[in-house]
Amino acid sequence: MKIPALTPRIGKDTLSVGNNEKLVVNEHFGKLPKGPVQSVKYGIYFICTSGQAELDYAGQRLEIHKGDLFLYCAYNIMDNIQTSADFDCREIWFTREAMWDINMLSKKSLYDIVSLIRYPKVTLSKDEKSLLDDYYKLLCHRMRDDAKMMQDDIVQTIFSALALEILCIVRRGYEKIIQAQNEGDGNTLCINTLRGKQLADRYIKLVEDSDGRIRR
């Protein structure tokens, strides 16, 4: 069965720089489709601004409420989506190209990618929400300013800083979850976490040894 593609909503609340689709902002997205959907081109930052939603993602059932941040990693399937009548969210859609200039391939960040799929949601604190709101408003302001010199570079710089801030927020969120679960379940998760880090370190070593010749 072919899974429908999840794509940015087109309309007056959609922002991009010219015809470039590597970074797209939806200020209001409204309801999500109920059936299975998948994005193979974009990763997405969702921030719920009203209402609530439930969905299946990467083998787990997630509840998303107002003030929650959810990071969707490309190629994962969302299914059995249920939203309240007042559900809405703001979204930032980004391609691999948009992430190219961000330091996301260090050893720590590569391990983050594995953990982000397991722990993709975090409830934002008041300070975190205020911080992301400021970044979001600045990003939208610059994306609307078509006459701005070096607009692409400015937008990419703002997005890079925002993406790293979100990575730090989500990392703190799943570290708290792991700590709480370890306290209840002994060292099982610590062992799994260590194995995940060892695999990430090994992968980086293989890439370094191949001198970049083996792209996959």
Side-chain angles (χ1 to χ4, degrees):
M1 180 181 70
K2 185 176 180 180
I3 299 174
L6 187 64
T7 57
R9 186 160 294 172
I10 304 302
K12 65 178 182 178
D13 295 323
T14 300
L15 300 174
S16 61
V17 179
N19 295 322
N20 192 334
E21 296 183 350
K22 70 179 182 180
L23 184 64
V24 180
V25 173
N26 280 142
E27 295 189 83
H28 299 283
F29 196 77
K31 291 185 177 180
L32 294 166
K34 293 183 177 180
V37 288
Q38 179 186 42
S39 175
V40 298
K41 182 178 180 180
Y42 293 98
I44 313 166
Y45 296 122
F46 291 87
I47 296 181
C48 181
T49 54
S50 66
Q52 61 185 36
E54 292 186 21
L55 54 92
D56 293 334
Y57 175 81
Q60 56 187 315
R61 188 69 177 170
L62 297 178
E63 292 185 9
I64 301 173
H65 300 271
K66 181 179 179 180
D68 286 349
L69 180 144
F70 168 54
L71 175 56
Y72 170 86
C73 294
Y75 294 97
N76 285 281
I77 298 172
M78 294 192 294
D79 199 1
N80 299 317
I81 302 170
Q82 299 177 356
T83 59
S84 62
D86 60 340
F87 175 78
D88 198 2
C89 60
R90 62 174 57 153
E91 302 165 343
I92 301 176
W93 302 65
F94 55 91
T95 63
R96 183 179 301 175
E97 184 182 357
M99 302 296 288
W100 191 256
D101 293 331
I102 305 176
N103 181 23
M104 296 292 285
L105 293 180
S106 66
K107 291 183 180 180
K108 287 185 178 180
S109 294
L110 181 64
Y111 172 61
D112 277 325
I113 293 173
V114 177
S115 298
L116 289 174
I117 296 174
R118 293 183 62 192
Y119 309 104
K121 189 202 83 168
V122 62
T123 297
L124 299 173
S125 68
K126 183 178 179 180
D127 289 342
E128 289 168 343
K129 185 177 183 303
S130 178
L131 175 67
L132 296 187
D133 281 346
D134 288 343
Y135 271 110
Y136 179 80
K137 291 175 184 176
L138 180 58
L139 179 64
C140 290
H141 173 71
R142 289 306 184 193
M143 292 181 79
R144 287 191 181 96
D145 191 357
D146 294 332
K148 183 71 177 180
M149 293 180 61
M150 302 180 68
Q151 185 190 27
D152 283 346
D153 292 333
I154 293 172
V155 167
Q156 177 62 42
T157 300
I158 297 170
F159 171 69
S160 299
L162 172 60
L164 292 175
E165 292 282 9
I166 288 176
L167 181 62
C168 290
I169 290 171
V170 176
R171 180 187 294 172
R172 287 194 295 269
Y174 68 64
E175 285 177 350
K176 289 179 181 178
I177 294 173
I178 291 173
Q179 181 179 359
Q181 291 178 332
N182 282 342
E183 290 173 355
D185 298 332
N187 294 323
T188 302
L189 282 170
C190 282
I191 293 171
N192 290 337
T193 299
L194 178 60
R195 287 174 179 168
K197 184 178 186 307
Q198 289 172 340
L199 286 172
D201 290 348
R202 183 180 176 192
Y203 173 77
I204 288 291
K205 183 67 165 58
L206 288 171
V207 172
E208 291 172 345
D209 291 345
S210 74
D211 195 29
R213 291 188 300 272
I214 304 174
R215 297 298 293 273
R216 288 176 62 85

